[in-house]
Amino acid sequence: MSSSSGSITSLDTIIGQDAAVGLLRKILAGGRIPHAYLFHGPAGVGKWDAVLAFSRTLLCTDDGAAEQGAPCGRCRSCHQVAAASHPDFYRIGLYPKKEFPKSPRPKEEIPPMALDFDPGEHELLTQVRIQQIRWLNTQASHPPAEGSRRVFVIDPADRLNPQAQNAILKTLEEPASRSIIVLVTTRPHALLPTIRSRCISIGLRPVDPLELAALLEEKGYTRQEAEIRSALSGGRPVAAETLDLPVMKSRRAGFLADLRALAASPAALAELPDMTRRILGDGELDLLEGLDMLQGLLRDVARCGAGMPRESLLHTDISADLVELARQISPDRAGELVALIDRLRLDLRFNVNKSLLAETVLAELARPR
Ligand SMILES: [Zn+2]
């Protein structure tokens, strides 16, 4: 890892998150730092980068760091964070199954894995357990080992089981002055309202696709690939760079074919199980990604139907297909479906039956007019 300040993650290097970054800067410059945060936003939007930039700045011992919203990149603390060895910076997450005690003693406290632990092939527990939070609670009451603060990140916070959520509440209610707790989640609604209300909410959103495409181009992608990655990621910067291009393209092609078939003839409803599976994907994140993609395609169809130019589309690389589809699906109809998906996405917060949800979208699409 380079020690030059230019390569260090700082709030300056986070693009397209003006609201979140502005709030973090204000907090850092304000002097009295609140003790609890909830970073939330879709997978691949860059939450960890934002948490890292914020934490590094908090822990940096350079006098100007907080005011400028950027770690110096040179002090001992900055080097330790970069080397994942800072004694006051911890990330509490899903434990590898094999490493976690089978039957922990009643009051056992279990420290987190190293900051640079790579889950890789490890089979992970599905929940963050109370023993991990007990460790945090004890540690949070201790003064920092080196600097002026300690930072404890819980990620993914929505996997805190009910006992663990209740255990963290106490620390959130009676904070130790120099311990900062940062919760990170794609599903803030899965946390107790009492937890959410005690945290400063830092929301990260998908970035404008044009802005993201330009950024990817700067990073060395060809114009065409930058546009495709931006569109397929739905504006999520980390996802745009890590997504599997052939897999995502084929998923999109599947959706296009479904839209075409259903718009042409409700008889295609016979293929509903296959289509439903395609939307559901593999787990909730996949489903959300699928709904985003469907909405993106429908918005493009509406734009084509309204005669807007190719440049106004998200999925410019398949503009011919979208123009074709716009002959079957009117802009109004496409708009209705986009709104319907918005409503269904909200329903997802309440553990609705996900297959039913996907079928509702498809059935609506095939409804005769
Ligand atoms: Zn520093």
Side-chain angles (χ1 to χ4, degrees):
M1 179 120 3
S2 161
S3 63
S4 79
S5 57
S7 65
I8 285 250
T9 310
S10 78
L11 295 176
D12 291 331
T13 60
I14 294 170
I15 57 134
Q17 303 292 350
D18 295 350
V21 168
L23 182 54
L24 291 172
R25 279 188 195 287
K26 214 168 133 189
I27 289 167
L28 286 163
R32 214 182 135 264
I33 309 286
H35 69 283
Y37 301 84
L38 178 60
F39 282 66
H40 56 94
V45 83
K47 292 185 294 301
W48 179 245
D49 283 347
V51 167
L52 200 55
F54 181 56
S55 306
R56 273 183 171 167
T57 311
L58 278 174
L59 293 167
C60 176
T61 55
D62 188 88
D63 287 340
E67 250 167 61
Q68 287 156 20
C72 73
R74 292 178 302 272
C75 71
R76 180 175 155 84
S77 172
C78 280
H79 284 295
Q80 284 175 324
V81 175
S85 65
H86 198 294
D88 293 313
F89 185 37
Y90 294 100
R91 183 182 192 173
I92 292 147
L94 297 175
Y95 233 81
K97 235 179 196 168
K98 278 199 181 127
E99 313 273 339
F100 203 86
K102 283 274 168 301
S103 39
R105 295 185 310 277
K107 294 287 171 191
E108 187 157 353
E109 297 180 359
I110 296 183
M113 300 296 288
L115 196 65
D116 56 357
F117 164 70
D118 175 10
E121 302 291 295
H122 288 272
E123 195 188 343
L124 301 177
L125 294 175
T126 56
Q127 296 185 323
V128 177
R129 311 280 288 271
I130 188 165
Q131 292 82 3
Q132 299 171 264
I133 300 306
R134 281 199 196 114
W135 176 89
L136 183 159
N137 286 347
T138 301
Q139 294 294 316
S141 66
H142 292 171
E146 291 201 356
S148 55
R149 292 192 185 88
R150 314 194 82 183
V151 178
F152 301 89
V153 183
I154 305 179
D155 177 20
D158 50 277
R159 300 292 191 87
L160 286 161
N161 67 21
Q163 297 98 311
Q165 289 204 39
N166 279 310
I168 190 76
L169 253 183
K170 207 168 146 283
T171 296
L172 293 176
E173 279 165 356
E174 301 159 18
S177 61
R178 295 194 283 170
S179 288
I180 309 278
I181 315 277
V182 178
L183 306 179
V184 185
T185 181
T186 54
R187 303 162 62 235
H189 52 275
L191 290 163
L192 293 173
T194 40
I195 289 187
R196 291 202 303 265
S197 68
R198 280 172 178 80
C199 297
I200 293 193
S201 167
I202 308 288
L204 288 105
R205 298 188 169 74
V207 174
D208 174 71
L210 285 176
E211 194 183 344
L212 179 53
L215 177 93
L216 293 173
E217 220 181 324
E218 265 173 44
K219 287 193 166 187
Y221 291 94
T222 63
R223 171 83 179 256
Q224 195 197 15
E225 184 167 353
E227 281 177 358
I228 295 175
R229 284 188 175 272
S230 170
L232 290 175
S233 74
R236 296 168 300 140
V238 177
E241 292 202 72
T242 52
L243 62 80
D244 186 328
L245 210 49
V247 167
M248 290 295 276
K249 273 184 162 176
S250 111
R251 193 169 192 206
R252 181 178 66 176
F255 283 155
L256 260 186
D258 292 346
L259 287 173
R260 210 176 281 136
L262 285 170
S265 146
L269 276 174
E271 291 158 37
L272 199 59
D274 280 344
M275 295 181 181
T276 304
R277 259 197 299 282
R278 197 145 37 226
I279 295 183
L280 284 174
D282 183 20
E284 181 166 331
L285 289 180
D286 246 17
L287 170 61
L288 288 171
E289 204 171 78
L291 293 177
D292 282 351
M293 197 183 265
L294 260 183
Q295 273 188 319
L297 291 170
L298 287 163
R299 286 202 184 94
D300 274 355
V301 166
R303 290 187 188 108
C304 290
M308 288 167 73
R310 179 180 181 276
E311 300 76 60
S312 69
L313 302 181
L314 178 61
H315 298 277
T316 43
D317 61 309
I318 51 166
S319 59
D321 295 316
L322 294 165
V323 168
E324 187 68 40
L325 198 53
R327 297 205 180 99
Q328 295 169 276
I329 304 175
S330 74
D332 283 351
R333 181 101 178 115
E336 279 169 26
L337 288 161
V338 167
L340 169 74
I341 296 175
D342 271 335
R343 288 199 300 278
L344 292 173
R345 196 188 281 105
L346 286 179
D347 289 348
L348 265 179
R349 297 180 176 199
F350 306 109
N351 281 326
V352 293
N353 177 323
K354 295 180 178 63
S355 303
L356 202 63
L357 183 144
E359 282 168 18
T360 308
V361 176
L362 297 166
E364 181 62 23
L365 196 70
R367 189 169 55 88
R369 278 137 288 156

